[in-house]
Amino acid sequence: MNIAVVSAEVAPWSKTGGLGDVCGALPRALAALGERVLTIAPRYKAYPDAWDTGVRARIYLFGQTHEVGYFHAETDGVHHLFVDHPSFHRAGIYGDSYGAYGDNLFRFALLSRAAIEACTRVPLNGEPLGEDVIFHANDWHTGVLPLYLEALYRPAGRFSRAGTVLGIHNAGHQGTTAAHEFAGLDVSARWWPAADFDGRLNPLKCGATLARKIIAVSPNYAREITRDLGFGLEGIFSSRGRDLFGILNGVDDAWDPRTDKHLEQTYGIEDVAEGKRANKAALQRELGLPARPDVPMLGLVARLDHQKGVDLVQAAAPWLLRHDVQLVMLGSGSSALEGWFREAERTWPDKVRGWVGFNERLAHRIEAGADIFLMPSRFEPCGLNQMYSMRYGTVPVVHATGGLVDTVETFDPLEDRGTGWAFPTFSVEGLVEAMGWALYTFRGHKDAWRGIQRRGMERDFSWDRSARLYRDAYEASRP
Ligand code: ADP
Ligand code: GLC
């Protein structure tokens, strides 16, 4: 099967969150199954490992012809194309300190068109991918890709066997913009109803309407977006019935405590206690926290977005920090929460560190050093950090929503089951109660704690299983 994964982010080249992780890792897992896979993303900057193919395409959009170039890299049996255009060469992927870029619809429509063109134009060690391809678009950015296929290519007899899949990583972002921008997309007005959302142009709705299959990033999220977490698109998602799948994300090999190059000391299930002790000590040293092996260390790594519920941690902090704990947080985003990180450090100097920014190495070291990982998300399509935590023997405390429900099972002391705590209601009380149980178990029931860690570490979150499910959905997405 020839598969083109088209995304605004592909790690390690570009990443602001899990979208990048998934579009980096899933293609590798598909290639390992023997599929021919190409990722297509913008060339946000000069990547040292990607070379100019010399191929150019001219694309008419927003009243002008735009020339794009294609850069190519190949790693782990996966081809990667980076679409080159001046509108991608900016400080941020989606925006800067003034907010989202005003021409994002143009930028990502250009990516979508360039991706379709690439399939027939750009040779990948010989031959282009061809028209017999599965397009896997992701989130609102490439929601217009299925529109282009239906409106421009299929009517001309092209890509007639091509499948289209829309991956839903986050229905909370839909790229909605003014209706008049539709004219810039250069498709006939008869397609407007697919994009029309209360009189505005909604690229995610467009993809959700026109992609032949839709894949949400966890089974529970696939249900939630048809009920109350579709941000207004519940009706569209439920109308897609059997075309809507939920497939859980996997964990990439870069997140394996046995081989993680960022750690002070690597470890596995057999030496988890010793490994975590060494990594905790290193984190305390590095962050200037008191070197105390026994103090429960709470970790948090997140985009500081409303979605992530970090405000709940803020509200619960006075309660949490009345206990003998250390709290280490890493994130960037909302200036209010960044401000709170700094303030919390000042208020509890020997207990709290709030690192503002994006720091891959520190994210790994927190997963390894912390005892408990906090993830009180309001909604969470899948969530990767809770899975990383379980792999690292770090016990997650999460709000029971989205993929967190599919992955974290609340500890049951009678049955001796469970891998963490998932609190049912999004509230400070919910978080506090779950944290109460977690701290009580950590301090007083060491054997039970070790059982929770072990069960988490034994869970199979490999990409291989999910990649097989993707393959089935891809095959089913052909006309
Ligand atoms: P989302 O995609 O909604 O941000 P996920 O849990 O799926 O949530 O994935 C988040 C990814 O981004 C993880 O790999 C996490 O480690 C990473 N991440 C988030 N914030 C930061 C940060 N400030 N520094 C480093 N990595 C971060
Ligand atoms: C999104 C979601 C997150 C998910 C990630 C990768 O950003 O917020 O829950 O894990 O995409 O699919």
Side-chain angles (χ1 to χ4, degrees), residues 64-122:
Q64 275 181 38
T65 301
H66 305 269
E67 187 176 273
V68 298
Y70 296 93
F71 284 64
H72 178 245
E74 193 181 349
T75 54
D76 303 320
V78 179
H79 291 283
H80 303 280
L81 283 184
F82 302 98
V83 177
D84 195 43
H85 184 268
S87 69
F88 294 131
H89 306 164
R90 296 190 188 155
I93 292 183
Y94 307 112
D96 54 24
S97 50
Y98 297 101
Y101 298 129
D103 58 349
N104 274 346
L105 179 67
F106 160 73
R107 297 168 75 225
F108 295 116
L110 186 68
L111 170 66
S112 305
R113 284 289 319 274
I116 301 174
E117 290 294 321
C119 294
T120 52
R121 288 171 188 261
V122 187

Short mmCIF file of all heavy atoms in Angstrom, two decimals, residues 64-122:
data_model
loop_
_atom_site.label_atom_id
_atom_site.label_comp_id
_atom_site.label_asym_id
_atom_site.label_seq_id
_atom_site.Cartn_x
_atom_site.Cartn_y
_atom_site.Cartn_z
N GLN A 64 -3.53 33.81 -6.87
CA GLN A 64 -2.16 33.91 -7.40
C GLN A 64 -1.57 32.53 -7.60
O GLN A 64 -2.01 31.58 -6.96
CB GLN A 64 -1.26 34.56 -6.35
CG GLN A 64 -1.25 36.07 -6.37
CD GLN A 64 -0.29 36.58 -5.29
OE1 GLN A 64 0.77 35.99 -5.08
NE2 GLN A 64 -0.67 37.64 -4.63
N THR A 65 -0.55 32.46 -8.44
CA THR A 65 0.18 31.21 -8.59
C THR A 65 1.37 31.22 -7.63
O THR A 65 2.09 32.21 -7.55
CB THR A 65 0.66 31.03 -10.04
OG1 THR A 65 -0.49 31.06 -10.87
CG2 THR A 65 1.38 29.72 -10.22
N HIS A 66 1.53 30.11 -6.88
CA HIS A 66 2.62 30.02 -5.90
C HIS A 66 3.51 28.85 -6.29
O HIS A 66 3.02 27.77 -6.58
CB HIS A 66 2.05 29.79 -4.51
CG HIS A 66 1.04 30.82 -4.10
ND1 HIS A 66 1.39 31.97 -3.44
CD2 HIS A 66 -0.30 30.88 -4.31
CE1 HIS A 66 0.30 32.70 -3.26
NE2 HIS A 66 -0.74 32.06 -3.77
N GLU A 67 4.80 29.09 -6.26
CA GLU A 67 5.71 27.99 -6.57
C GLU A 67 6.20 27.35 -5.27
O GLU A 67 6.63 28.05 -4.35
CB GLU A 67 6.90 28.49 -7.37
CG GLU A 67 7.75 27.32 -7.84
CD GLU A 67 8.91 27.76 -8.73
OE1 GLU A 67 8.71 27.89 -9.95
OE2 GLU A 67 10.00 27.98 -8.17
N VAL A 68 6.07 26.03 -5.18
CA VAL A 68 6.61 25.33 -4.01
C VAL A 68 7.73 24.40 -4.46
O VAL A 68 7.74 23.92 -5.59
CB VAL A 68 5.54 24.49 -3.26
CG1 VAL A 68 4.42 25.37 -2.72
CG2 VAL A 68 4.96 23.39 -4.16
N GLY A 69 8.66 24.15 -3.56
CA GLY A 69 9.72 23.17 -3.80
C GLY A 69 9.53 21.99 -2.85
O GLY A 69 8.70 22.04 -1.94
N TYR A 70 10.28 20.93 -3.09
CA TYR A 70 10.16 19.73 -2.24
C TYR A 70 11.55 19.29 -1.79
O TYR A 70 12.43 19.06 -2.62
CB TYR A 70 9.52 18.58 -3.01
CG TYR A 70 8.09 18.84 -3.45
CD1 TYR A 70 7.82 19.36 -4.71
CD2 TYR A 70 7.02 18.54 -2.61
CE1 TYR A 70 6.52 19.59 -5.13
CE2 TYR A 70 5.71 18.77 -3.02
CZ TYR A 70 5.46 19.28 -4.28
OH TYR A 70 4.17 19.51 -4.69
N PHE A 71 11.74 19.17 -0.49
CA PHE A 71 12.98 18.63 0.06
C PHE A 71 12.69 17.21 0.56
O PHE A 71 11.57 16.92 0.99
CB PHE A 71 13.50 19.52 1.20
CG PHE A 71 14.14 20.79 0.70
CD1 PHE A 71 13.39 21.74 0.01
CD2 PHE A 71 15.49 21.02 0.90
CE1 PHE A 71 13.97 22.90 -0.48
CE2 PHE A 71 16.09 22.19 0.42
CZ PHE A 71 15.33 23.12 -0.27
N HIS A 72 13.69 16.38 0.50
CA HIS A 72 13.48 14.96 0.78
C HIS A 72 14.47 14.43 1.82
O HIS A 72 15.63 14.81 1.83
CB HIS A 72 13.64 14.16 -0.53
CG HIS A 72 13.50 12.67 -0.36
ND1 HIS A 72 14.54 11.79 -0.57
CD2 HIS A 72 12.45 11.91 0.02
CE1 HIS A 72 14.12 10.54 -0.34
NE2 HIS A 72 12.85 10.60 0.01
N ALA A 73 13.96 13.58 2.70
CA ALA A 73 14.83 12.85 3.63
C ALA A 73 14.29 11.43 3.70
O ALA A 73 13.12 11.19 3.40
CB ALA A 73 14.82 13.48 5.01
N GLU A 74 15.13 10.50 4.10
CA GLU A 74 14.67 9.13 4.27
C GLU A 74 15.26 8.59 5.56
O GLU A 74 16.47 8.62 5.74
CB GLU A 74 15.11 8.28 3.08
CG GLU A 74 14.40 6.95 3.03
CD GLU A 74 14.86 6.07 1.86
OE1 GLU A 74 15.57 6.58 0.97
OE2 GLU A 74 14.52 4.89 1.89
N THR A 75 14.40 8.14 6.47
CA THR A 75 14.89 7.55 7.72
C THR A 75 14.02 6.35 8.07
O THR A 75 12.81 6.39 7.90
CB THR A 75 14.81 8.55 8.91
OG1 THR A 75 13.48 9.03 9.03
CG2 THR A 75 15.75 9.72 8.76
N ASP A 76 14.64 5.33 8.61
CA ASP A 76 13.92 4.11 9.05
C ASP A 76 12.95 3.60 8.01
O ASP A 76 11.82 3.19 8.34
CB ASP A 76 13.16 4.37 10.37
CG ASP A 76 14.09 4.86 11.47
OD1 ASP A 76 15.21 4.33 11.56
OD2 ASP A 76 13.69 5.76 12.22
N GLY A 77 13.33 3.67 6.75
CA GLY A 77 12.47 3.14 5.70
C GLY A 77 11.28 4.01 5.35
O GLY A 77 10.39 3.59 4.62
N VAL A 78 11.23 5.23 5.88
CA VAL A 78 10.12 6.15 5.59
C VAL A 78 10.65 7.32 4.77
O VAL A 78 11.71 7.86 5.07
CB VAL A 78 9.49 6.69 6.89
CG1 VAL A 78 8.35 7.64 6.58
CG2 VAL A 78 9.00 5.54 7.76
N HIS A 79 9.89 7.69 3.73
CA HIS A 79 10.24 8.89 2.98
C HIS A 79 9.59 10.11 3.62
O HIS A 79 8.45 10.03 4.08
CB HIS A 79 9.73 8.78 1.54
CG HIS A 79 10.46 7.75 0.74
ND1 HIS A 79 11.72 7.96 0.24
CD2 HIS A 79 10.12 6.48 0.40
CE1 HIS A 79 12.13 6.88 -0.40
NE2 HIS A 79 11.18 5.96 -0.31
N HIS A 80 10.31 11.21 3.63
CA HIS A 80 9.74 12.44 4.16
C HIS A 80 9.91 13.55 3.13
O HIS A 80 11.02 13.73 2.63
CB HIS A 80 10.46 12.86 5.44
CG HIS A 80 10.43 11.81 6.51
ND1 HIS A 80 9.34 11.61 7.32
CD2 HIS A 80 11.35 10.89 6.88
CE1 HIS A 80 9.60 10.61 8.16
NE2 HIS A 80 10.81 10.15 7.90
N LEU A 81 8.82 14.24 2.81
CA LEU A 81 8.94 15.41 1.95
C LEU A 81 8.62 16.64 2.76
O LEU A 81 7.70 16.63 3.60
CB LEU A 81 7.98 15.33 0.76
CG LEU A 81 8.36 14.41 -0.40
CD1 LEU A 81 7.32 14.55 -1.51
CD2 LEU A 81 9.76 14.73 -0.96
N PHE A 82 9.35 17.69 2.51
CA PHE A 82 9.12 18.97 3.17
C PHE A 82 8.81 19.99 2.08
O PHE A 82 9.63 20.22 1.19
CB PHE A 82 10.34 19.37 3.99
CG PHE A 82 10.70 18.33 5.01
CD1 PHE A 82 11.70 17.40 4.76
CD2 PHE A 82 10.00 18.25 6.20
CE1 PHE A 82 12.00 16.40 5.68
CE2 PHE A 82 10.29 17.26 7.13
CZ PHE A 82 11.29 16.35 6.88
N VAL A 83 7.62 20.55 2.17
CA VAL A 83 7.17 21.50 1.15
C VAL A 83 7.76 22.86 1.47
O VAL A 83 7.58 23.38 2.58
CB VAL A 83 5.63 21.57 1.14
CG1 VAL A 83 5.16 22.62 0.14
CG2 VAL A 83 5.03 20.20 0.82
N ASP A 84 8.45 23.41 0.48
CA ASP A 84 9.14 24.67 0.71
C ASP A 84 8.37 25.84 0.10
O ASP A 84 8.03 25.81 -1.09
CB ASP A 84 10.55 24.59 0.09
CG ASP A 84 11.42 25.72 0.60
OD1 ASP A 84 11.37 25.98 1.81
OD2 ASP A 84 12.11 26.35 -0.22
N HIS A 85 8.08 26.82 0.94
CA HIS A 85 7.42 28.04 0.48
C HIS A 85 7.71 29.13 1.52
O HIS A 85 7.73 28.81 2.72
CB HIS A 85 5.90 27.82 0.33
CG HIS A 85 5.20 29.01 -0.24
ND1 HIS A 85 4.65 30.00 0.55
CD2 HIS A 85 5.00 29.40 -1.53
CE1 HIS A 85 4.13 30.94 -0.23
NE2 HIS A 85 4.33 30.60 -1.49
N PRO A 86 7.90 30.38 1.08
CA PRO A 86 8.26 31.43 2.05
C PRO A 86 7.26 31.54 3.21
O PRO A 86 7.65 31.89 4.33
CB PRO A 86 8.25 32.71 1.21
CG PRO A 86 8.50 32.24 -0.20
CD PRO A 86 7.93 30.86 -0.30
N SER A 87 5.98 31.23 2.99
CA SER A 87 5.00 31.42 4.08
C SER A 87 5.22 30.43 5.23
O SER A 87 4.63 30.59 6.30
CB SER A 87 3.57 31.28 3.54
OG SER A 87 3.31 29.94 3.17
N PHE A 88 6.05 29.43 5.02
CA PHE A 88 6.33 28.49 6.12
C PHE A 88 7.53 28.93 6.96
O PHE A 88 7.77 28.39 8.03
CB PHE A 88 6.59 27.07 5.58
CG PHE A 88 5.37 26.46 4.93
CD1 PHE A 88 5.47 25.85 3.68
CD2 PHE A 88 4.14 26.47 5.57
CE1 PHE A 88 4.35 25.29 3.07
CE2 PHE A 88 3.02 25.92 4.97
CZ PHE A 88 3.12 25.32 3.72
N HIS A 89 8.33 29.86 6.43
CA HIS A 89 9.58 30.22 7.12
C HIS A 89 9.31 31.32 8.15
O HIS A 89 9.56 32.49 7.90
CB HIS A 89 10.63 30.74 6.13
CG HIS A 89 10.88 29.77 5.01
ND1 HIS A 89 11.52 30.14 3.85
CD2 HIS A 89 10.58 28.46 4.87
CE1 HIS A 89 11.60 29.09 3.04
NE2 HIS A 89 11.03 28.06 3.64
N ARG A 90 8.76 30.93 9.27
CA ARG A 90 8.41 31.92 10.30
C ARG A 90 8.84 31.42 11.66
O ARG A 90 9.19 30.26 11.82
CB ARG A 90 6.92 32.19 10.30
CG ARG A 90 6.45 32.81 9.00
CD ARG A 90 5.02 33.29 9.10
NE ARG A 90 4.56 33.71 7.79
CZ ARG A 90 3.30 33.72 7.40
NH1 ARG A 90 2.37 33.36 8.27
NH2 ARG A 90 2.96 34.11 6.20
N ALA A 91 8.69 32.30 12.66
CA ALA A 91 9.14 31.94 14.01
C ALA A 91 8.38 30.74 14.57
O ALA A 91 8.96 29.86 15.20
CB ALA A 91 8.96 33.13 14.93
N GLY A 92 7.08 30.69 14.35
CA GLY A 92 6.28 29.59 14.92
C GLY A 92 5.66 28.75 13.82
O GLY A 92 5.70 29.09 12.64
N ILE A 93 5.06 27.65 14.23
CA ILE A 93 4.38 26.77 13.28
C ILE A 93 3.00 27.32 12.95
O ILE A 93 2.60 27.41 11.79
CB ILE A 93 4.29 25.34 13.85
CG1 ILE A 93 5.70 24.73 13.92
CG2 ILE A 93 3.35 24.46 13.02
CD1 ILE A 93 5.75 23.29 14.39
N TYR A 94 2.28 27.73 14.00
CA TYR A 94 0.91 28.23 13.81
C TYR A 94 0.77 29.72 14.07
O TYR A 94 -0.20 30.33 13.65
CB TYR A 94 -0.05 27.49 14.74
CG TYR A 94 0.05 25.99 14.62
CD1 TYR A 94 0.55 25.22 15.66
CD2 TYR A 94 -0.36 25.35 13.45
CE1 TYR A 94 0.64 23.84 15.54
CE2 TYR A 94 -0.26 23.98 13.33
CZ TYR A 94 0.24 23.23 14.37
OH TYR A 94 0.34 21.87 14.26
N GLY A 95 1.70 30.28 14.82
CA GLY A 95 1.57 31.69 15.15
C GLY A 95 2.75 32.14 15.99
O GLY A 95 3.70 31.39 16.21
N ASP A 96 2.67 33.39 16.44
CA ASP A 96 3.73 33.92 17.29
C ASP A 96 3.09 34.62 18.49
O ASP A 96 1.92 34.40 18.78
CB ASP A 96 4.64 34.86 16.49
CG ASP A 96 3.83 35.96 15.80
OD1 ASP A 96 2.72 36.26 16.29
OD2 ASP A 96 4.30 36.49 14.79
N SER A 97 3.85 35.48 19.15
CA SER A 97 3.32 36.08 20.38
C SER A 97 2.10 36.96 20.12
O SER A 97 1.37 37.30 21.04
CB SER A 97 4.42 36.88 21.09
OG SER A 97 5.02 37.74 20.17
N TYR A 98 1.86 37.33 18.85
CA TYR A 98 0.66 38.13 18.54
C TYR A 98 -0.56 37.25 18.27
O TYR A 98 -1.63 37.73 17.99
CB TYR A 98 0.92 39.04 17.34
CG TYR A 98 2.01 40.05 17.61
CD1 TYR A 98 3.30 39.85 17.12
CD2 TYR A 98 1.75 41.18 18.39
CE1 TYR A 98 4.31 40.75 17.38
CE2 TYR A 98 2.76 42.08 18.66
CZ TYR A 98 4.04 41.87 18.16
OH TYR A 98 5.03 42.76 18.44
N GLY A 99 -0.38 35.93 18.29
CA GLY A 99 -1.51 35.04 18.03
C GLY A 99 -1.30 34.23 16.76
O GLY A 99 -0.18 34.18 16.22
N ALA A 100 -2.37 33.56 16.32
CA ALA A 100 -2.28 32.70 15.13
C ALA A 100 -2.03 33.56 13.89
O ALA A 100 -2.51 34.70 13.80
CB ALA A 100 -3.57 31.91 14.98
N TYR A 101 -1.28 33.05 12.94
CA TYR A 101 -1.03 33.78 11.69
C TYR A 101 -2.34 33.95 10.94
O TYR A 101 -3.16 33.04 10.86
CB TYR A 101 -0.03 33.03 10.81
CG TYR A 101 1.33 32.87 11.44
CD1 TYR A 101 1.95 31.63 11.49
CD2 TYR A 101 2.00 33.97 11.98
CE1 TYR A 101 3.21 31.47 12.08
CE2 TYR A 101 3.27 33.83 12.56
CZ TYR A 101 3.86 32.58 12.61
OH TYR A 101 5.08 32.43 13.18
N GLY A 102 -2.51 35.13 10.34
CA GLY A 102 -3.76 35.44 9.66
C GLY A 102 -3.96 34.65 8.37
O GLY A 102 -5.08 34.53 7.87
N ASP A 103 -2.88 34.11 7.81
CA ASP A 103 -3.00 33.41 6.52
C ASP A 103 -2.86 31.88 6.69
O ASP A 103 -2.44 31.19 5.77
CB ASP A 103 -1.94 33.92 5.54
CG ASP A 103 -0.52 33.74 6.06
OD1 ASP A 103 -0.35 33.42 7.26
OD2 ASP A 103 0.44 33.94 5.29
N ASN A 104 -3.25 31.36 7.87
CA ASN A 104 -3.08 29.92 8.10
C ASN A 104 -3.91 29.07 7.13
O ASN A 104 -3.47 28.00 6.72
CB ASN A 104 -3.42 29.56 9.55
CG ASN A 104 -2.21 29.72 10.46
OD1 ASN A 104 -1.09 29.86 9.98
ND2 ASN A 104 -2.43 29.72 11.76
N LEU A 105 -5.10 29.55 6.76
CA LEU A 105 -5.88 28.76 5.81
C LEU A 105 -5.10 28.61 4.50
O LEU A 105 -4.98 27.52 3.95
CB LEU A 105 -7.24 29.41 5.54
CG LEU A 105 -8.09 28.62 4.53
CD1 LEU A 105 -8.52 27.28 5.09
CD2 LEU A 105 -9.31 29.42 4.08
N PHE A 106 -4.54 29.73 4.05
CA PHE A 106 -3.73 29.68 2.83
C PHE A 106 -2.54 28.73 2.99
O PHE A 106 -2.29 27.87 2.14
CB PHE A 106 -3.23 31.09 2.46
CG PHE A 106 -2.05 31.06 1.54
CD1 PHE A 106 -2.22 30.72 0.20
CD2 PHE A 106 -0.77 31.32 2.01
CE1 PHE A 106 -1.11 30.64 -0.65
CE2 PHE A 106 0.33 31.24 1.17
CZ PHE A 106 0.16 30.90 -0.16
N ARG A 107 -1.81 28.87 4.10
CA ARG A 107 -0.59 28.07 4.29
C ARG A 107 -0.89 26.57 4.26
O ARG A 107 -0.20 25.78 3.62
CB ARG A 107 0.08 28.42 5.63
CG ARG A 107 0.55 29.88 5.68
CD ARG A 107 0.92 30.28 7.11
NE ARG A 107 2.19 29.74 7.53
CZ ARG A 107 2.42 29.18 8.71
NH1 ARG A 107 1.43 29.04 9.57
NH2 ARG A 107 3.61 28.73 9.02
N PHE A 108 -1.97 26.17 4.95
CA PHE A 108 -2.22 24.73 5.04
C PHE A 108 -3.01 24.20 3.83
O PHE A 108 -2.90 23.02 3.51
CB PHE A 108 -2.83 24.39 6.39
CG PHE A 108 -1.88 24.66 7.52
CD1 PHE A 108 -2.15 25.62 8.49
CD2 PHE A 108 -0.66 23.99 7.57
CE1 PHE A 108 -1.24 25.88 9.51
CE2 PHE A 108 0.26 24.25 8.59
CZ PHE A 108 -0.03 25.20 9.56
N ALA A 109 -3.74 25.09 3.15
CA ALA A 109 -4.34 24.67 1.88
C ALA A 109 -3.21 24.44 0.87
O ALA A 109 -3.25 23.49 0.07
CB ALA A 109 -5.32 25.73 1.37
N LEU A 110 -2.20 25.30 0.94
CA LEU A 110 -1.04 25.13 0.05
C LEU A 110 -0.34 23.79 0.34
O LEU A 110 0.02 23.05 -0.59
CB LEU A 110 -0.07 26.30 0.25
CG LEU A 110 1.13 26.35 -0.70
CD1 LEU A 110 0.67 26.65 -2.13
CD2 LEU A 110 2.14 27.42 -0.25
N LEU A 111 -0.18 23.47 1.62
CA LEU A 111 0.42 22.18 1.98
C LEU A 111 -0.42 21.04 1.39
O LEU A 111 0.12 20.08 0.83
CB LEU A 111 0.49 22.06 3.51
CG LEU A 111 0.87 20.67 4.04
CD1 LEU A 111 2.30 20.31 3.66
CD2 LEU A 111 0.68 20.59 5.56
N SER A 112 -1.74 21.14 1.52
CA SER A 112 -2.62 20.06 1.07
C SER A 112 -2.52 19.87 -0.44
O SER A 112 -2.40 18.74 -0.93
CB SER A 112 -4.08 20.37 1.46
OG SER A 112 -4.17 20.59 2.85
N ARG A 113 -2.57 20.98 -1.18
CA ARG A 113 -2.44 20.88 -2.64
C ARG A 113 -1.08 20.33 -3.02
O ARG A 113 -0.94 19.47 -3.90
CB ARG A 113 -2.63 22.26 -3.29
CG ARG A 113 -4.05 22.77 -3.39
CD ARG A 113 -4.91 22.03 -4.40
NE ARG A 113 -4.26 21.70 -5.66
CZ ARG A 113 -4.18 22.49 -6.72
NH1 ARG A 113 -4.75 23.68 -6.70
NH2 ARG A 113 -3.59 22.10 -7.83
N ALA A 114 -0.04 20.86 -2.35
CA ALA A 114 1.33 20.43 -2.68
C ALA A 114 1.50 18.94 -2.39
O ALA A 114 2.25 18.24 -3.08
CB ALA A 114 2.33 21.25 -1.87
N ALA A 115 0.80 18.44 -1.38
CA ALA A 115 0.91 17.02 -1.02
C ALA A 115 0.32 16.16 -2.13
O ALA A 115 0.89 15.14 -2.52
CB ALA A 115 0.20 16.76 0.30
N ILE A 116 -0.83 16.58 -2.66
CA ILE A 116 -1.44 15.79 -3.73
C ILE A 116 -0.54 15.81 -4.96
O ILE A 116 -0.27 14.77 -5.58
CB ILE A 116 -2.86 16.33 -4.06
CG1 ILE A 116 -3.75 16.29 -2.81
CG2 ILE A 116 -3.49 15.51 -5.19
CD1 ILE A 116 -5.13 16.93 -2.99
N GLU A 117 -0.04 16.99 -5.28
CA GLU A 117 0.84 17.11 -6.45
C GLU A 117 2.11 16.26 -6.30
O GLU A 117 2.61 15.69 -7.27
CB GLU A 117 1.23 18.58 -6.66
CG GLU A 117 0.08 19.46 -7.15
CD GLU A 117 -0.39 19.08 -8.55
OE1 GLU A 117 0.45 18.75 -9.40
OE2 GLU A 117 -1.63 19.07 -8.77
N ALA A 118 2.60 16.17 -5.07
CA ALA A 118 3.85 15.43 -4.84
C ALA A 118 3.73 13.97 -5.27
O ALA A 118 4.71 13.38 -5.73
CB ALA A 118 4.22 15.50 -3.36
N CYS A 119 2.54 13.41 -5.13
CA CYS A 119 2.38 11.98 -5.39
C CYS A 119 2.71 11.59 -6.82
O CYS A 119 3.11 10.45 -7.07
CB CYS A 119 0.96 11.54 -5.05
SG CYS A 119 0.63 11.67 -3.31
N THR A 120 2.51 12.51 -7.74
CA THR A 120 2.82 12.16 -9.12
C THR A 120 4.11 12.83 -9.62
O THR A 120 4.64 12.46 -10.65
CB THR A 120 1.68 12.56 -10.07
OG1 THR A 120 1.35 13.93 -9.83
CG2 THR A 120 0.44 11.71 -9.80
N ARG A 121 4.58 13.83 -8.89
CA ARG A 121 5.71 14.60 -9.42
C ARG A 121 7.06 14.24 -8.82
O ARG A 121 8.08 14.35 -9.49
CB ARG A 121 5.52 16.09 -9.12
CG ARG A 121 4.47 16.75 -9.92
CD ARG A 121 4.24 18.14 -9.35
NE ARG A 121 3.11 18.78 -9.97
CZ ARG A 121 3.20 19.66 -10.95
NH1 ARG A 121 4.38 20.01 -11.40
NH2 ARG A 121 2.11 20.18 -11.47
N VAL A 122 7.06 13.90 -7.51
CA VAL A 122 8.37 13.82 -6.84
C VAL A 122 8.84 12.37 -6.78
O VAL A 122 8.22 11.53 -6.12
CB VAL A 122 8.29 14.39 -5.40
CG1 VAL A 122 9.68 14.44 -4.79
CG2 VAL A 122 7.63 15.75 -5.39
#
